[in-house]
Amino acid sequence: MLPEIQEFFHMGGYAFYVWSSYGLCFIVLVLNIIIPLCREKVIIRSIAIQVHRKQQK
Amino acid sequence: MLRHINQFASPKNFYALSCKLVHYFGGACLLLFVAGVFGGLLFSPPDYQQGESVRIIYVHVPSAWMSLFVYIVMAGAGTIGLIWRIKIMDVIARSSAPLGASFTFLALATGSLWGKPMWGAWWVWDARLTSELILLFLYLGYIALQSAIEDPRMAARAGAILALIGIINIPIIHFSVEWWSTLHQGPTVSKLDAPSIHIDMLIPLLLMALAYMCYFISAVLMRARCDLLALERNSAWVGELIGERSR
Amino acid sequence: MYENTSAVLEAVRLKCVRGERLIFENVGFQLCSGEVLQIDGPNGSGKTSLLRILCGLAVAEEGEVNWKGRSINDDLAEYVREVNYIGHNNGIKSELTPLENLVVARSLMSSNREFSLMEALAQMNLSDIADIPVRKLSSGQCRRVALSRLLISQARLWILDEPFTTLDDNGRHLVQDLIATHARKGGNAVIVTHESLNLPEVILNKLTL
Amino acid sequence: MYENTSAVLEAVRLKCVRGERLIFENVGFQLCSGEVLQIDGPNGSGKTSLLRILCGLAVAEEGEVNWKGRSINDDLAEYVREVNYIGHNNGIKSELTPLENLVVARSLMSSNREFSLMEALAQMNLSDIADIPVRKLSSGQCRRVALSRLLISQARLWILDEPFTTLDDNGRHLVQDLIATHARKGGNAVIVTHESLNLPEVILNKLTL
Amino acid sequence: MKSNLLDVFMTILKRDLSLGLSRSSEIANPLIFFFIVVMIFPFALGPESNLLQRIMPGVIWIAVLLSATLSLDMMFRSDFEDGSLELMLLSRYPMTLLIMAKITAHWLLTGAPLILASIFLGVLLNLPVESLLYLFITMMLGTPVLSMVGSAVMALTVGLRGGGVLLALLILPLYIPVLIFSIAAIDNAILGLPITGEIYILGALLVLAITLAPFATSTSLRIRFG
Amino acid sequence: MKSNLLDVFMTILKRDLSLGLSRSSEIANPLIFFFIVVMIFPFALGPESNLLQRIMPGVIWIAVLLSATLSLDMMFRSDFEDGSLELMLLSRYPMTLLIMAKITAHWLLTGAPLILASIFLGVLLNLPVESLLYLFITMMLGTPVLSMVGSAVMALTVGLRGGGVLLALLILPLYIPVLIFSIAAIDNAILGLPITGEIYILGALLVLAITLAPFATSTSLRIRFG
Ligand code: HEM
Ligand SMILES: Nc1ncnc2c1ncn2[C@@H]1O[C@H](COP(=O)(O)OP(=O)(O)OP(=O)(O)O)[C@@H](O)[C@H]1O
Ligand SMILES: Nc1ncnc2c1ncn2[C@@H]1O[C@H](COP(=O)(O)OP(=O)(O)OP(=O)(O)O)[C@@H](O)[C@H]1O
Ligand SMILES: [Mg+2]
Ligand SMILES: [Mg+2]
């Protein structure tokens, strides 16, 4: 079992290329999800503050 | 008819609808990704020439396809926004740009990572590679223009025109392999009549392509929602929405 | 000279937002044929923004501008022919002489061919320097060159943004006379200025932002 | 506040030629401590040219300018520290905010460190917009930013070229107050303007070109 | 009315030409820049004349591309800054007409001299006759496209801070198709291969640009003045 | 007084840097322009990788030269137009000091990023280590010279209509030597020949520029305002 897993990760000598492509894709795709999520939070908070102010007035 | 569309495309309705869509497509995307990655890494055979490095195909080709597709979406949405003044379309065009740039970057990066073992160099000045690089610059130019113009309405309309002018490059990228003899792979998958690729590789590849597509839809909607909120921050429906939520 | 309708130019509940800030809201007025509107207000109150909306260079956030009863956006190209806008910027090329500048300006606007360009320049006291490149002129002389466009145009609506800046007293009188004559012929003018206007026999409306 | 000599600033038979044309000749005046000079004259008579000669940016064809009895060209660098020139151009960067602009201006001039920059801006009614890039301000607001340099400088001689352009009434009063206060402290000012100045308790000389 | 339109066209054309001629730098500058870029190459590549011969058409085209980009600035910038553009937008003539005049003037002031300079250089550098001929033909077809695409993009960026280089960033990718097909035509001509395909494509680009550029430009300008 | 001078130097430096950073395009754009120029060459010269490999150092240097020239505009133009330059001339500090700050800021904003970009490209394109090393060294010596010579010439021509020709004519004889010696150094290094001569000359140019440029610039500015 273990050698098989090792072989799988070895990728016939192309480990670096294969895993960094997949890794890069993963990172970029996840970043593109996280960034709008964070931005949404920030925006909602700032709008909430704005709304709050208006209500107080 | 037009009024119908306008009503559907009102920011408020769109915001509500997009929330659902993000969830559906996000879920589909996750499933497809898992299937595609497993299929690609575990169940598909290594290539007889390229060995295991061929597994890069499952991330490279969908990224490359999406990089072209997203540009078309961006230009199309921008044009619709420009002509019919539909705000949603402006927002979608604007949100597509960073995603398209990301896909282009991924196509370039994974292509380089594939090229090093195959051609012995990270980069060769091949027509397709270079034209893909141009595509990246087109996206960056679009983003730069958007950020240089402060008024969002003006920025969206200016961007639409730029994207339209730039669309001339898309066929050039796509057909570059046929027009110039190059190192890069010719059409293998996209020859519709007889794909010259093994079925065991084709299936995970198509799964990944679908996954990318779903990913794009949900990601672009997420971005669009943010932009919409920021744009419409002074309008009544946003006030109500946030007011309810914070209560 | 022009037909006499009521309310040639009408602004209805205009609202202007720049960046994120509300500049003004609910601004409206009506001008009948032959009337002049003076706009005043503190710095930054949106006078220039209002003028740009009136002449169709910018679009109001809300509200509309009507010309002879129709919204100006219905046929902007048509409307624009009736407008003569002179903004903060003079709109003259510093490499060309005043005369050359006027030649270009005349070909762009519905101009009054009878009135010769040299006469126009002479009336603005510019005949001595009609052939010196504008870049070598003083600020007031440049302003005069820009304002001499008023003389050769047949536009019915003049929109002037602080026309008197850097003009000397003689220049101020000249321009006020021009405006008064234009109004007496039935034309309209919308003028931003902090100074008090002296336009005999003309109905002068005021709007303070 | 400053020592009281007679004729702090003196111009002797100045002559100015631009291009080939003689602009003025034989222009001279004397200013004692605490006096203000208003220069007026038709457009193109050489007011701006005269100011640039007075502050050392240009050199007169003939004649000279003396500061405290010495020709300003003897030690231009020294003289220049005592001068605050605000020309037609505002000399502010449109990307920076008013506050940032003042920071730069302060570091360039012999400034009054006690007076905080925010106070200076507040005095010019700019505190609301102290953090908005100047490019987004209206023309009058820009002019105010430029003029707020007067508040933070310790220069003795103010040279102002049409300071009131595009200012509203409030701004005009503010600037006139500033000038009057400066003069009452013994400072000098040379001002080009077509408007009549109202500077209580200050000796106002006039020069017409 | 028709002759009137022509009148206006000619006035604007004359105005822009005389402006360009009066700021003599605006013609000379792109030209000098062009010569510099071309002349730098022998320094960078060493004096191997075979090599130089082979790449010269390409280098000349690159130099043309870059100088055309630099010269774009003069098309709208000063008109924007001194308010002339507002005047034009508010004129009684269709903006597209005025823009066509401006583009024509720009091409006459930059494109045409660049073509002459290229041919001059080509002769000087002993390029083969085919190269020269097709250099000329592709430039006649290509440089107007550069001016037109340039006007549209310039209109988008005029008045933006940092607009000069933003322009370069936006425009060079758009110029590349012209470059690709021109070079392909020249290379094929030297090798004796057919080139009608490339020439057709260049012609099509030109027609496309002529029909679309004035509209794109005037729309862009209206947008910028929003 | 001394610390005061340093203060002013730093204020101006900071001002120019923050101006440059706030118009982020002013840093990013020359960089992107640089990449685009390099990228265009394969289109024009065909994809023969040997040829491209051989001329890449030269192409990179040319691209640096062009982007440096383009970015010169930002050094004085806007200061001239909005009157800030007059303010500086009338300030109580020596103009040379202020100019040194401006030049430093300009180099930090354009020269330094361009060097990094060149090295990045060099690595990506598999340039041999010697090429890379000497590309780096010659750029460290050369780009400040470009900024300084540029500032002096720019000062002479700022605000002059038609100053552009003058700019190109004056700047060329001063830029070309930098290019020639840099490329000679790189070529020799690849061939294993001695290169101290070239490096010395570049160093001498740098020292000369540092000592003379601020004075030349401030004199030019005074003349321009005379
Ligand atoms: C930086 C390097 C690379 C870039 C920028 C790049 C770019 C692209 C692009 C844009 C496409 C989509 C073309 C279209 O749909 O019209 C594509 C497809 C493809 N690429 Fe690459 N590529 C690179 C390297 C490689 C390498 C090294 C290989 C394999 C040896 C490769 C194999 C493929 C394959 C098989 C396709 C699918 C072709 C099809 O059926 O449409 N690529 N690439
Ligand atoms: N760069 C120049 N070259 C040649 N002549 C010039 C130049 N600048 C101005 N002049 C001329 O010098 C004269 C004086 O100009 P100046 O700007 O000093 O006038 P001014 O009194 O300030 O006028 P204004 O009230 O219009 O500001 C003008 O007649 C003008 O034509
Ligand atoms: N480009 C811009 N972006 C954002 N806000 C702007 C912009 N231009 C002007 N503003 C803001 O809009 C407001 C109105 O500006 P406007 O130029 O219309 O004022 P104004 O009444 O003409 O003032 P002034 O008397 O100073 O000329 C100002 O408060 C200004 O800060
Ligand atoms: Mg205003
Ligand atoms: Mg003046």
Side-chain angles (χ1 to χ4, degrees):
Chain A
M1 188 66 200
L2 227 144
E4 262 174 42
I5 290 179
Q6 239 172 16
E7 196 181 313
F8 172 71
F9 280 108
H10 188 57
M11 278 286 159
Y14 294 116
F16 171 73
Y17 304 108
V18 173
W19 292 121
S20 38
S21 331
Y22 277 81
L24 215 58
C25 286
F26 183 74
I27 292 171
V28 170
L29 296 187
V30 168
L31 269 184
N32 269 315
I33 295 292
I34 292 179
I35 290 172
L37 280 181
C38 294
R39 245 192 82 206
E40 189 164 28
K41 245 184 214 149
V42 173
I43 291 173
I44 286 182
R45 186 170 308 151
S46 79
I47 296 178
I49 292 172
Q50 188 183 323
V51 169
H52 202 68
R53 263 196 217 137
K54 234 183 227 164
Q55 282 169 351
Q56 279 183 340
K57 270 180 198 172
Chain B
M1 177 65 191
L2 207 78
R3 184 181 301 157
H4 210 72
I5 292 179
N6 263 333
Q7 190 190 0
F8 161 74
S10 85
K12 185 180 174 186
N13 292 343
F14 175 83
Y15 192 83
L17 180 68
S18 67
C19 194
K20 281 182 215 151
L21 288 181
V22 167
H23 284 115
Y24 295 154
F25 280 99
C29 158
L30 216 65
L31 290 178
L32 287 165
F33 252 122
V34 171
V37 167
F38 271 88
L41 287 179
L42 291 174
F43 303 121
S44 77
D47 191 79
Y48 70 100
Q49 271 181 332
Q50 309 188 345
E52 304 278 354
S53 76
V54 78
R55 297 191 195 284
I56 297 178
I57 200 176
Y58 305 113
V59 284
H60 168 71
V61 173
S63 310
W65 283 345
M66 288 309 287
S67 68
L68 300 180
F69 175 73
V70 172
Y71 193 91
I72 297 172
V73 169
M74 185 174 90
T79 313
I80 295 173
L82 183 68
I83 297 177
W84 287 288
R85 308 270 164 100
I86 300 177
K87 215 178 218 172
I88 309 295
M89 286 300 165
D90 288 346
V91 171
I92 284 181
R94 185 194 181 85
S95 321
S96 302
L99 290 169
S102 304
F103 287 132
T104 313
F105 168 76
L106 283 180
L108 285 164
T110 56
S112 299
L113 283 164
W114 201 357
K116 181 71 182 173
M118 289 302 105
W119 307 327
W122 296 107
W123 184 258
V124 290
W125 289 110
D126 162 285
R128 167 161 285 174
L129 272 56
T130 317
S131 49
E132 182 77 357
L133 190 57
I134 292 176
L135 184 64
L136 181 62
F137 285 121
L138 283 177
Y139 279 121
L140 292 182
Y142 181 92
I143 294 171
L145 184 67
Q146 295 270 328
S147 63
I149 304 179
E150 280 160 38
D151 184 298
R153 203 168 32 170
M154 197 189 287
R157 303 173 67 195
I161 289 187
L162 182 70
L164 263 186
I165 303 174
I167 212 163
I168 187 93
N169 273 27
I170 298 296
I172 290 183
I173 300 171
H174 186 69
F175 293 115
S176 55
V177 253
E178 289 172 34
W179 291 344
W180 294 274
S181 51
T182 66
L183 276 177
H184 191 277
Q185 206 95 351
T188 36
V189 188
S190 46
K191 271 191 304 185
L192 276 181
D193 40 349
S196 51
I197 181 174
H198 196 282
I199 188 77
D200 284 348
M201 284 169 69
L202 186 60
I203 289 175
L205 184 57
L206 291 182
L207 283 178
M208 284 300 272
L210 268 182
Y212 267 67
M213 182 65 81
C214 294
Y215 170 84
F216 167 66
I217 295 175
S218 50
V220 85
L221 288 179
M222 281 169 69
R223 269 184 189 273
R225 286 159 57 86
C226 287
D227 277 359
L228 211 57
L229 272 188
L231 269 183
E232 300 261 302
R233 63 185 312 151
N234 289 321
S235 71
W237 69 270
V238 172
E240 281 166 25
L241 190 83
I242 307 288
E244 275 168 28
R245 207 181 277 185
S246 61
R247 215 166 281 147
Chain C
M1 186 152 177
Y2 302 102
E3 81 269 38
N4 200 332
T5 27
S6 61
V8 189
L9 180 70
E10 182 186 34
V12 188
R13 290 207 271 118
L14 291 176
K15 173 177 171 185
C16 171
V17 176
R18 301 206 69 160
E20 313 264 273
R21 275 182 316 151
L22 174 71
I23 307 299
F24 57 72
E25 202 171 20
N26 252 326
V27 167
F29 62 82
Q30 292 196 329
L31 277 194
C32 296
S33 173
E35 289 183 358
V36 172
L37 176 70
Q38 175 178 9
I39 302 179
D40 199 354
N43 291 138
S45 57
K47 301 181 292 300
T48 299
S49 311
L50 177 57
L51 289 195
R52 294 177 68 86
I53 291 172
L54 287 184
C55 68
L57 279 175
V59 181
E61 191 76 10
E62 277 173 26
E64 58 180 18
V65 181
N66 296 321
W67 175 250
K68 296 182 183 161
R70 289 172 61 203
S71 163
I72 61 169
N73 289 313
D74 285 355
D75 190 354
L76 198 58
E78 183 62 38
Y79 169 63
V80 135
R81 285 183 208 179
E82 310 229 37
V83 173
N84 196 340
Y85 171 65
I86 298 183
H88 279 303
N89 272 336
N90 287 326
I92 52 181
K93 307 281 339 156
S94 53
E95 287 82 15
L96 300 180
T97 66
L99 192 58
E100 289 165 342
N101 268 302
L102 274 199
V103 169
V104 174
R106 178 173 64 183
S107 76
L108 285 178
M109 51 172 64
S110 12
S111 81
N112 198 335
R113 298 254 162 191
E114 302 135 47
F115 211 96
S116 100
L117 298 185
M118 275 314 286
E119 270 175 57
L121 287 176
Q123 198 168 330
M124 298 302 288
N125 282 343
L126 292 171
S127 30
D128 290 351
I129 49 175
D131 292 315
I132 300 179
V134 166
R135 130 182 64 95
K136 293 193 187 169
L137 299 184
S138 78
S139 50
Q141 289 167 334
C142 292
R143 197 72 187 147
R144 278 166 187 256
V145 176
L147 288 167
S148 60
R149 282 206 299 271
L150 293 177
L151 283 166
I152 57 164
S153 98
Q154 282 181 318
R156 174 158 180 188
L157 175 60
W158 291 1
I159 298 190
L160 311 178
D161 201 352
E162 317 220 19
F164 306 120
T165 41
T166 72
L167 284 191
D168 56 15
D169 291 338
N170 165 280
R172 278 157 215 243
H173 285 302
L174 264 172
V175 175
Q176 294 194 31
D177 286 351
L178 282 184
I179 297 170
T181 316
H182 178 66
R184 284 197 293 265
K185 280 194 288 182
N188 292 96
V190 178
I191 301 162
V192 166
T193 180
H194 301 294
E195 290 170 44
S196 59
L197 289 171
N198 168 24
L199 306 173
E201 304 170 42
V202 171
I203 302 175
L204 181 65
N205 300 303
K206 292 206 183 179
L207 174 69
T208 305
L209 285 184
Chain D
M1 186 151 174
Y2 302 104
E3 82 271 37
N4 199 332
T5 28
S6 62
V8 189
L9 180 71
E10 184 185 34
V12 188
R13 289 207 272 119
L14 291 176
K15 173 178 171 183
C16 171
V17 176
R18 301 205 70 160
E20 314 266 89
R21 277 183 315 150
L22 175 70
I23 308 297
F24 56 74
E25 200 170 26
N26 252 327
V27 167
F29 61 83
Q30 292 197 329
L31 277 194
C32 296
S33 175
E35 289 182 358
V36 172
L37 176 69
Q38 175 178 10
I39 301 179
D40 199 355
N43 291 138
S45 56
K47 302 180 293 298
T48 300
S49 311
L50 177 57
L51 289 195
R52 294 177 68 87
I53 291 171
L54 288 183
C55 69
L57 279 175
V59 181
E61 191 76 10
E62 274 173 28
E64 58 182 16
V65 182
N66 297 320
W67 175 249
K68 295 180 184 165
R70 289 171 60 203
S71 164
I72 62 169
N73 288 313
D74 287 354
D75 191 353
L76 197 58
E78 183 61 38
Y79 170 61
V80 137
R81 285 182 208 180
E82 308 228 39
V83 174
N84 196 339
Y85 171 64
I86 298 183
H88 278 303
N89 273 336
N90 287 324
I92 52 181
K93 308 277 344 153
S94 53
E95 285 82 18
L96 300 181
T97 66
L99 192 59
E100 289 165 343
N101 267 302
L102 275 198
V103 170
V104 174
R106 178 171 67 183
S107 76
L108 285 177
M109 52 171 63
S110 13
S111 83
N112 197 337
R113 299 254 163 191
E114 302 135 50
F115 209 96
S116 100
L117 299 184
M118 273 315 285
E119 271 174 58
L121 288 176
Q123 201 168 329
M124 298 301 290
N125 281 344
L126 293 172
S127 30
D128 288 351
I129 50 174
D131 293 314
I132 299 180
V134 167
R135 129 183 67 91
K136 294 194 188 169
L137 300 185
S138 77
S139 50
Q141 288 167 333
C142 293
R143 197 71 186 150
R144 280 167 186 255
V145 176
L147 289 167
S148 61
R149 284 208 298 272
L150 294 176
L151 283 167
I152 57 164
S153 98
Q154 282 180 321
R156 176 157 179 187
L157 174 60
W158 290 1
I159 298 189
L160 311 179
D161 200 352
E162 318 220 18
F164 306 120
T165 42
T166 73
L167 284 192
D168 55 16
D169 292 338
N170 164 282
R172 277 155 214 243
H173 284 303
L174 264 172
V175 175
Q176 293 193 32
D177 286 352
L178 282 183
I179 297 170
T181 317
H182 178 66
R184 285 197 292 265
K185 281 195 289 184
N188 292 97
V190 178
I191 301 161
V192 167
T193 179
H194 301 293
E195 289 169 44
S196 58
L197 290 172
N198 168 23
L199 306 172
E201 304 170 42
V202 171
I203 303 175
L204 180 64
N205 301 302
K206 292 206 183 178
L207 174 69
T208 305
L209 284 184
Chain E
M1 185 67 184
K2 211 163 207 175
S3 81
N4 221 334
L5 289 183
L6 193 68
D7 266 13
V8 174
F9 183 89
M10 291 311 291
T11 317
I12 298 289
L13 184 65
K14 258 191 241 154
R15 160 185 180 274
D16 273 32
L17 287 180
S18 77
L19 278 176
L21 293 171
S22 78
R23 317 178 194 150
S24 59
S25 64
E26 298 215 331
I27 310 180
N29 229 9
L31 272 181
I32 292 176
F33 185 82
F34 169 79
F35 281 113
I36 295 164
V37 172
V38 175
M39 286 312 177
I40 282 176
F41 274 82
F43 294 121
L45 305 188
E48 272 173 57
S49 64
N50 271 345
L51 179 72
L52 280 178
Q53 196 90 336
R54 213 183 79 41
I55 65 173
M56 249 324 137
V59 168
I60 290 181
W61 249 111
I62 290 182
V64 166
L65 221 66
L66 294 178
S67 349
T69 309
L70 288 191
S71 71
L72 273 182
D73 209 39
M74 80 192 222
M75 208 177 339
F76 293 119
R77 160 106 79 122
S78 80
D79 280 348
F80 179 83
E81 283 171 358
D82 63 19
S84 303
L85 221 46
E86 288 175 358
L87 260 191
M88 291 188 193
L89 279 173
L90 293 180
S91 90
R92 65 188 173 132
Y93 295 101
M95 191 65 190
T96 44
L97 179 76
L98 310 181
I99 285 167
M100 248 136 53
K102 286 187 81 67
I103 294 177
T104 313
H106 181 258
W107 184 80
L108 287 176
L109 287 172
T110 63
L114 280 175
I115 295 179
L116 293 183
S118 310
I119 301 303
F120 172 72
L121 263 185
V123 173
L124 213 69
L125 298 172
N126 259 331
L127 289 194
V129 179
E130 280 90 41
S131 288
L132 271 185
L133 180 63
Y134 285 98
L135 195 60
F136 179 73
I137 293 179
T138 54
M139 286 208 171
M140 283 300 285
L141 291 171
T143 50
V145 179
L146 301 187
S147 292
M148 292 188 212
V149 175
S151 89
V153 177
M154 188 64 211
L156 285 178
T157 59
V158 64
L160 293 182
R161 279 290 162 200
V165 202
L166 177 65
L167 176 82
L169 159 60
L170 296 184
I171 214 158
L172 283 173
L174 300 177
Y175 278 179
I176 287 197
V178 175
L179 178 72
I180 291 177
F181 293 112
S182 302
I183 297 285
I186 297 174
D187 281 356
N188 286 351
I190 295 176
L191 298 176
L193 299 176
I195 54 157
T196 38
E198 281 82 8
I199 297 291
Y200 279 151
I201 294 183
L202 282 177
L205 285 179
L206 179 60
V207 172
L208 209 70
I210 289 180
T211 45
L212 294 184
F215 292 96
T217 310
S218 72
T219 317
S220 311
L221 283 177
R222 286 209 179 274
I223 289 173
R224 289 288 300 120
F225 280 95
Chain F
M1 185 66 182
K2 212 165 209 174
S3 80
N4 221 332
L5 288 184
L6 194 66
D7 266 12
V8 174
F9 182 88
M10 292 311 292
T11 317
I12 297 290
L13 184 64
K14 257 191 241 154
R15 161 184 178 275
D16 272 31
L17 285 181
S18 78
L19 275 177
L21 294 172
S22 80
R23 315 177 198 153
S24 60
S25 56
E26 297 216 333
I27 311 180
N29 289 351
L31 269 183
I32 294 172
F33 182 80
F34 167 82
F35 281 116
I36 292 179
V37 170
V38 174
M39 189 188 69
I40 284 180
F41 278 87
F43 283 105
L45 306 187
E48 269 173 59
S49 60
N50 274 342
L51 174 72
L52 285 172
Q53 193 88 342
R54 215 177 83 38
I55 65 172
M56 252 319 140
V59 168
I60 291 180
W61 246 110
I62 291 175
V64 166
L65 213 72
L66 296 182
S67 349
T69 311
L70 280 194
S71 69
L72 269 184
D73 210 39
M74 81 192 219
M75 206 171 351
F76 291 120
R77 162 105 78 122
S78 80
D79 281 348
F80 179 83
E81 282 172 358
D82 63 19
S84 301
L85 221 47
E86 288 176 357
L87 260 190
M88 290 189 191
L89 280 172
L90 291 180
S91 91
R92 63 190 176 131
Y93 295 101
M95 193 64 191
T96 45
L97 179 76
L98 308 182
I99 285 167
M100 249 137 51
K102 285 186 82 68
I103 294 178
T104 313
H106 181 258
W107 185 80
L108 286 177
L109 286 173
T110 63
L114 280 175
I115 295 178
L116 293 182
S118 310
I119 300 304
F120 172 74
L121 261 187
V123 172
L124 211 69
L125 297 175
N126 265 330
L127 290 192
V129 180
E130 280 91 40
S131 286
L132 270 185
L133 180 63
Y134 286 99
L135 194 62
F136 179 73
I137 294 180
T138 54
M139 286 211 171
M140 285 300 286
L141 292 170
T143 49
V145 179
L146 300 187
S147 291
M148 292 190 211
V149 173
S151 91
V153 178
M154 197 61 212
L156 267 183
T157 59
V158 65
L160 279 187
R161 283 287 168 204
V165 175
L166 208 59
L167 181 89
L169 285 179
L170 293 178
I171 253 178
L172 256 184
L174 295 154
Y175 272 16
I176 291 273
V178 175
L179 178 77
I180 293 178
F181 290 114
S182 301
I183 293 202
I186 298 173
D187 280 355
N188 286 351
I190 295 175
L191 299 176
L193 300 175
I195 55 155
T196 37
E198 282 83 6
I199 297 291
Y200 279 151
I201 294 181
L202 283 177
L205 284 179
L206 179 58
V207 172
L208 208 70
I210 291 180
T211 44
L212 293 185
F215 293 97
T217 309
S218 74
T219 316
S220 314
L221 283 179
R222 283 207 183 276
I223 291 173
R224 285 287 301 116
F225 279 95

